Amino acid sequence: MANQTITLGIESSCDETGVALYSLEKGLIAHALHSQVDLHSDYGGVVPEIASRDHVRMLLPLIQKVMDEAGIEKPDLIAYTAGPGLVGALMVGGGMANGLGLAWGCPVIPVHHMEGHLLAPMLEDNPPDFPFLALLVSGGHTMLISVQGLGEYKLLGMTLDDAAGEAFDKTAKLLSLGYPGGPLLAALADEGDDNAYAFPRPMMNKPNLDFSFSGLKTAVMLQVRKSEANGELDANRANIAASFQRAAVDVLIGKSLKAASIEGLERIVIAGGVGANRLLRSEMERQFSGDVFYPRFEFCTDNGAMIAIAGALRYLEATDPKEIKAQARWSLETLGIPAA
Ligand code: KG4
Ligand code: ZN
């Protein structure tokens, strides 16, 4: 990177406002996160307009906070999430990044949210070398990607319906666990027997590398109804959660192992919100013969640090964006390799 050393990362694609300062020399210098969970929980999901307004409210104070902590007046580069995500929420981060870029006279670079997730393990002390297989599992995406280098992404498989995080969230809702459901469901699963119900492992034995979670969700729904009808739902709740989690994790691991073997990859990166799932991490480590990498728990879910590092690494490519970029849908495969 020319003489850009400190990158301010801004994440505002959904319901977390995340900012961070990342130095190519020193690593992560400061980061701050504000979760909007309390604002959306009454609605059982993210309300886009509320999300946008709260990003407006929180971004500047959080940026000020990390700048004060780091004792710097201005960064050398600003990276912001340009998509995929909620367009209004993205525009808040993009507008802020470009406004500050003008004020500070520093370059601004748009970042793909999923590339941020994918590169998040690079923030850790023991980062993965290329090439690796990435299992990207978030609330909106479930993808297997062969990563040969920065920007060299080949999509090997994806979900045909619900994303993994969405399946956790919807199952949690069926069990009346509240929002966001993934971590609550995982906690309840710890108290249950994962062999209690033989839920389907959709697509597990198909030769392709795609996923499908809707059949699993339906099976859980039928079991919930049955338990309810028998007056046994409270007694069965933990067992349903544990059996669901085991089925979902089995599918994610089965397909990842298949992909690693087909592609001859000896490293697997697990990233995205569902990457915080302890069973997924421990089972991948147990079953995969190669090395498994993941970010620390707080950087599995959305955060500014992953956007800062992705922007810093990408800035090798000279950019001078003339407009604020905000894309609701955006294929990772179109990113390309940054020009030296
Ligand atoms: O990456 P992320 O923060 O946001 C998106 O980009 O979507 O992922 C959020 C998703 C939610 O669906 C949430 O329920 C799920 O990650 N999640 C989990 C766990 N922690 C978060 N799912 C399963 N187990 C967890 N421990
Ligand atoms: Zn995310």
Side-chain angles (χ1 to χ4, degrees):
M1 179 187 284
N3 47 14
Q4 263 68 35
T5 55
I6 297 185
T7 303
L8 168 67
I10 297 178
E11 157 62 32
S12 72
S13 66
C14 191
D15 59 348
E16 323 268 0
T17 317
V19 303
L21 290 169
Y22 174 80
S23 152
L24 278 178
E25 294 84 29
K26 297 183 195 152
L28 190 65
I29 303 175
H31 67 99
L33 185 82
H34 168 73
S35 170
Q36 303 179 352
V37 163
D38 292 348
L39 294 179
H40 301 290
S41 59
D42 282 353
Y43 305 94
V46 180
V47 182
E49 180 64 20
I50 293 178
S52 308
R53 288 173 184 229
D54 203 55
H55 289 308
V56 172
R57 192 172 69 89
M58 292 309 297
L59 258 179
L60 266 183
L62 287 183
I63 292 170
Q64 189 66 59
K65 181 170 183 276
V66 292
M67 304 274 287
D68 288 348
E69 260 175 49
I72 62 162
E73 304 260 296
K74 69 184 193 79
D76 303 296
L77 172 70
I78 303 174
Y80 69 97
T81 303
L86 304 170
V87 170
L90 292 168
M91 287 299 289
V92 176
M96 178 68 68
N98 283 276
L100 290 174
L102 268 179
W104 284 330
C106 69
V108 178
I109 183 167
V111 168
H112 191 296
H113 180 81
M114 298 312 287
E115 183 173 51
H117 276 306
L118 192 150
L119 298 176
M122 306 269 182
L123 291 160
E124 303 305 332
D125 290 341
N126 176 27
D129 287 329
F130 297 117
F132 56 78
L133 174 77
L135 172 65
L136 287 185
V137 271
S138 72
H141 295 84
T142 301
M143 302 190 277
L144 278 168
I145 295 166
S146 160
V147 179
Q148 296 298 316
L150 186 70
E152 292 180 83
Y153 308 134
K154 185 169 92 177
L155 182 64
L156 304 172
M158 58 185 280
T159 183
L160 303 179
D161 39 59
D162 291 347
E166 200 178 353
F168 271 85
D169 293 341
K170 286 180 177 170
T171 301
K173 212 168 195 173
L174 284 172
L175 294 171
S176 315
L177 291 182
Y179 156 88
L184 297 172
L185 187 128
L188 180 63
D190 285 345
E191 296 163 27
D193 170 7
D194 62 8
N195 269 317
Y197 303 102
F199 289 141
R201 271 77 172 145
M203 313 277 286
M204 183 85 160
N205 298 316
K206 291 252 166 71
N208 65 27
L209 296 171
D210 289 326
F211 302 90
S212 164
F213 291 101
S214 65
L216 173 57
K217 187 183 61 190
T218 306
V220 173
M221 188 179 70
L222 294 175
Q223 184 55 52
V224 167
R225 283 194 190 153
K226 197 167 151 192
S227 298
E228 234 164 13
N230 298 338
E232 292 170 350
L233 184 56
D234 278 340
N236 295 347
R237 210 176 243 123
N239 285 348
I240 294 175
S243 303
F244 161 81
Q245 177 176 250
R246 173 62 68 173
V249 164
D250 277 356
V251 175
L252 292 172
I253 289 181
K255 292 283 176 169
S256 301
L257 298 182
K258 193 178 278 180
S261 148
I262 292 170
E263 296 288 312
L265 294 167
E266 286 159 10
R267 299 176 200 93
I268 294 183
V269 158
I270 308 177
V274 184
N277 188 275
R278 287 175 201 274
L279 183 70
L280 177 60
R281 290 175 173 223
S282 61
E283 280 300 304
M284 191 73 93
E285 283 191 356
R286 196 174 67 79
Q287 295 186 38
F288 183 50
S289 56
D291 294 321
V292 184
F293 299 83
Y294 27 69
R296 69 194 83 166
F297 285 108
E298 64 183 320
F299 293 158
C300 281
T301 43
D302 295 346
N303 64 86
M306 69 184 196
I307 302 306
I309 191 172
L313 296 177
R314 244 181 199 276
Y315 192 71
L316 297 165
E317 164 194 44
T319 50
D320 180 20
K322 293 283 184 289
E323 60 188 32
I324 300 164
K325 194 164 170 168
Q327 279 181 238
R329 292 170 180 276
W330 186 3
S331 160
L332 251 184
E333 287 185 302
T334 61
L335 285 185
I337 308 164

